[in-house]
Amino acid sequence: METETLLSSFVKLLVSDVERSAAFYEALGFKRLRSDPPFLQLRWENQAEVYLVKAPAALPVEGRRGAGVLIGIRVGALSVEEVAARAQALGVSVDGPTRQPWHTREVVLSDPDGYRLNFIEPA
């Protein structure tokens, strides 16, 4: 069950369009907890929090978002196949599922701003 208790770790993503990004994440299965401009808070089960933040005009981030970073999310109740199917229904290219040597199955996809999301389950 989702709670309003803040998790100890989270990621903030600078995005070009907060509502477009929120719709994408919600279609994957994230739940919107609150919208307090300039932040919009989302949660994946009780495991991960993502804050979407409108990129300030003075901060040059175009072409620099997400380079070399995978945001890891344990799938929990869904399987990596279910997450992949939801992403593909949004027209997103998905890498995987791939069995990794560290005993996980993983899919990787990109959000509308190019952030790479790595959904993970035990193999």
Side-chain angles (χ1 to χ4, degrees), residues 3-5 11 15-16 27 29 42 50-52 64 74 87-88 93-94 104 119:
T3 66
E4 290 296 319
T5 303
V11 63
V15 299
S16 56
L42 300 163
V50 173
Y51 287 80
L52 303 176
R64 296 176 41 190
R74 291 181 183 89
Q88 289 165 336
S93 176
V94 176
T104 60
F119 289 90

Side-chain angles (χ1 to χ4, degrees), residues 56-74:
L59 184 62
V61 294
E62 288 305 318
R64 296 176 41 190
R65 284 177 243 167
V69 174
L70 287 176
I71 299 166
I73 301 163
R74 291 181 183 89

